[in-house]
Amino acid sequence: MELLIVILLLIIGLLTFLLLKKERVLGIKPEITNKNTEVKIVESKEYRKNIFNLLNSIPEGILILDKSKKIIFSNNSSTKLFDTKINENISGSLRNPDLLSSIDKIFEDKNIPDFEIEIRNKAVLRLNISIYLDKNNLFFDEVSCVLFIRDLTEFHKFQQLKSDFVANVSHELRTPLQSIKMGLETINNIKDLKENNELNNLMPLMTSQSERMENLIRDLLSLSKIELQEHIRPTHEIDLIELIDYVIKTYEKIISKQNIKIIFNKVESLKIIGDRDKLIEIFTNLIDNSIKYSDKNKEITITAKKDGEFNTVSVRDQGIGIPKESIHRITERFFTVDPSKSRSVGGTGLGLAIVKHLVSQHRAEMDINSVENEGTTIDIKFNSL
Ligand code: ATP
Ligand code: MG
């Protein structure tokens, strides 16, 4: 019996030793925090020091702020990039209204998607920021907010060069093309030439090809302009119902010709912060696609409604649909599912690439659902006012 007690004591001693050793290795100390016997892991100073060392070696900038937006941690990359000082308010080094309001929102426990801002300190910086709320006091003994900052300045400089190049080339092509078009119209009006069979065959082809080239140049110019402005948030209050009514009106002639019906399910008003011309471009492109890729006698249903925290507009058609494997590619520039079909309806594959940038400029989201031979639905989810 005595031997049994000694063995038991030895086992308990060994277990305690192993447990203490594990705590030392992990740097954590389990602690019973409330009567419901819920176990909470309280991080020791040693454990946090290890985390901060790790954060310091990350190339992305990381800032941790308290509720008053005071910087309580800045990793090496952040300090180098923004000259941040501990205990200083974030607005001292990163002054941007979007950023400040997003920090307020995250402390109210709202979801904030990644966003881009421009900071003008010594140089102009373009930053992509993700915000995370540390509710479990992982980093400090209080609720704090963690900013993950990616410096996209170099990437945007490259983008700018590319956009400038495309804009310049497109601009240069436009002038000679307009002269060619004018020439074609003049030739088309010369009576004697109308009897020339060969020319009669060639004229429609030359005219349609020059129109196609003109559309392409217009879209390329529009795309490069939009890319450069993507980070600038629109500021006007827009009623989506009035705007979509306006866009539908511009299609009246075309849809009556093709016997396509547009049904608009709407609420009384649906207000967002946006840019009128750009929103018109978004819905024009979507409706244009629904018409182009549907047969005659089909219906297009547009629904605009409040959807939880979003104001959502969906454009649904009964058209040819998109193959499953191509859905994720249709917002790529110049991508078309069936190039010959697109060419025959005058498509260049730039419409949805433009829409994607405009949607992102509005900080909205785009969802594409489609079933081949049944139809396509595109939802655009805007933040409500
Ligand atoms: P553009 O809009 O520049 O005149 P496009 O319509 O061909 O040309 P996008 O609007 O970018 O280009 O669309 C890309 C491709 O996605 C289209 O070519 C088509 O294959 C497919 N697509 C887009 N919308 C629909 C739709 N509603 N139904 C079926 N296919 C679609
Ligand atoms: Mg299109």
Side-chain angles (χ1 to χ4, degrees):
M1 184 67 181
E2 274 175 5
L3 188 68
L4 203 69
I5 292 173
V6 171
I7 292 174
L8 256 173
L9 281 175
L10 269 175
I11 293 174
I12 291 170
L14 188 70
L15 281 175
T16 318
F17 171 76
L18 285 175
L19 207 70
L20 283 175
K21 196 173 165 208
K22 188 178 169 209
E23 274 173 22
R24 248 201 331 273
V25 171
L26 293 176
I28 54 175
K29 181 172 120 238
E31 192 182 85
I32 308 291
T33 54
N34 62 27
K35 284 172 197 144
N36 301 333
T37 64
E38 178 199 324
V39 177
K40 186 183 171 197
I41 306 292
V42 178
E43 289 75 21
S44 70
K45 275 189 179 160
E46 187 62 24
Y47 179 72
R48 280 185 179 153
K49 215 172 108 193
N50 287 338
I51 293 191
F52 292 141
N53 279 342
L54 183 77
L55 297 185
N56 266 328
S57 62
I58 291 176
E60 275 78 30
I62 294 175
L63 288 175
I64 306 183
L65 314 176
D66 70 4
K67 243 184 171 156
S68 64
K69 302 196 188 84
K70 209 169 68 187
I71 300 171
I72 47 182
F73 173 79
S74 167
N75 75 344
N76 289 340
S77 310
S78 267
T79 312
K80 233 191 264 163
L81 204 57
F82 316 115
D83 237 352
T84 42
K85 289 178 186 70
I86 298 296
N87 285 334
E88 183 189 76
N89 193 287
I90 179 96
S91 54
S93 40
L94 281 153
R95 178 176 287 280
N96 178 282
D98 269 1
L99 173 65
L100 299 181
S101 83
S102 298
I103 296 170
D104 285 334
K105 280 191 193 144
I106 204 92
F107 274 116
E108 289 163 19
D109 209 4
K110 290 187 181 150
N111 260 345
I112 306 286
D114 289 10
F115 59 96
E116 269 187 39
I117 57 167
E118 194 170 275
I119 298 284
R120 288 169 188 269
N121 284 354
K122 284 174 213 150
V124 181
L125 296 175
R126 281 284 286 277
L127 309 170
N128 175 285
I129 298 189
S130 317
I131 308 191
Y132 159 84
L133 185 67
D134 177 24
K135 284 191 248 180
N136 297 320
N137 302 0
L138 182 67
F139 297 109
F140 286 93
D141 289 335
E142 58 183 311
V143 177
S144 59
C145 120
V146 188
L147 307 183
F148 297 94
I149 307 165
R150 281 170 294 271
D151 181 10
L152 302 181
T153 315
E154 283 305 310
F155 171 73
H156 280 289
K157 267 190 201 155
F158 173 72
Q159 283 278 90
Q160 169 115 29
L161 272 177
K162 191 188 70 184
S163 293
D164 284 351
F165 174 75
V166 172
N168 288 340
V169 172
S170 308
H171 213 80
E172 291 304 316
L173 284 173
R174 218 179 198 178
T175 324
L177 182 65
Q178 264 152 8
S179 312
I180 293 171
K181 268 190 78 187
M182 265 169 52
L184 284 174
E185 274 161 29
T186 317
I187 294 170
N188 213 15
N189 289 331
I190 298 174
K191 270 189 196 150
D192 291 350
L193 294 179
K194 276 188 180 160
E195 271 121 52
N196 182 322
N197 258 351
E198 213 172 325
L199 204 59
N200 271 340
N201 289 338
L202 274 177
M203 280 311 286
L205 185 70
M206 290 198 289
T207 311
S208 77
Q209 287 303 318
S210 59
E211 268 163 15
R212 189 172 139 71
M213 203 159 150
E214 199 174 31
N215 288 344
L216 184 68
I217 290 171
R218 190 203 53 223
D219 284 353
L220 272 173
L221 268 171
S222 171
L223 189 59
S224 67
K225 210 159 83 194
I226 288 161
E227 274 178 343
L228 291 181
Q229 293 173 349
E230 197 171 329
H231 65 289
I232 304 169
R233 272 193 93 178
T235 49
H236 289 98
E237 192 177 305
I238 309 281
D239 182 4
L240 285 173
I241 305 296
E242 182 272 322
L243 184 128
I244 293 167
D245 268 331
Y246 168 81
V247 178
I248 293 174
K249 261 210 180 98
T250 61
Y251 278 97
E252 259 167 13
K253 257 193 194 160
I254 300 175
I255 58 171
S256 76
K257 231 192 213 170
Q258 304 195 18
N259 207 18
I260 285 178
K261 207 162 124 194
I262 298 189
I263 301 160
F264 186 17
N265 298 322
K266 52 185 167 182
V267 285
E268 202 174 311
S269 95
L270 203 62
K271 292 200 169 146
I272 60 158
I273 297 294
D275 178 308
R276 188 176 164 77
D277 290 341
K278 290 173 178 164
L279 288 164
I280 290 176
E281 196 157 355
I282 291 177
F283 294 110
T284 303
N285 269 303
L286 296 185
I287 296 173
D288 187 60
N289 282 348
S290 285
I291 296 173
K292 275 197 307 205
Y293 302 109
S294 290
D295 293 329
K296 285 184 178 174
N297 310 319
K298 296 283 182 185
E299 272 177 11
I300 295 166
T301 312
I302 303 171
T303 308
K305 61 173 187 206
K306 237 185 163 34
D307 193 0
E309 55 181 308
F310 298 109
N311 284 344
T312 304
V313 179
S314 73
V315 180
R316 178 157 56 90
D317 63 51
Q318 303 170 328
I320 59 174
I322 304 158
K324 210 170 163 197
E325 65 277 9
S326 300
I327 293 182
H328 71 285
R329 296 199 58 195
I330 62 166
T331 55
E332 281 174 23
R333 51 179 70 191
F334 295 115
F335 180 83
T336 53
V337 173
D338 176 354
S340 64
K341 163 81 185 161
S342 286
R343 222 170 292 129
S344 71
V345 289
T348 55
L350 285 173
L352 288 179
I354 291 174
V355 168
K356 188 175 96 176
H357 287 290
L358 293 177
V359 166
S360 140
Q361 187 183 16
H362 279 82
R363 296 247 192 118
E365 283 170 33
M366 172 157 70
D367 274 347
I368 304 169
N369 288 293
S370 188
V371 179
E372 244 182 309
N373 301 320
E374 282 187 22
T376 303
T377 305
I378 300 194
D379 295 330
I380 313 278
K381 288 179 178 177
F382 297 93
N383 287 315
S384 43
L385 260 188

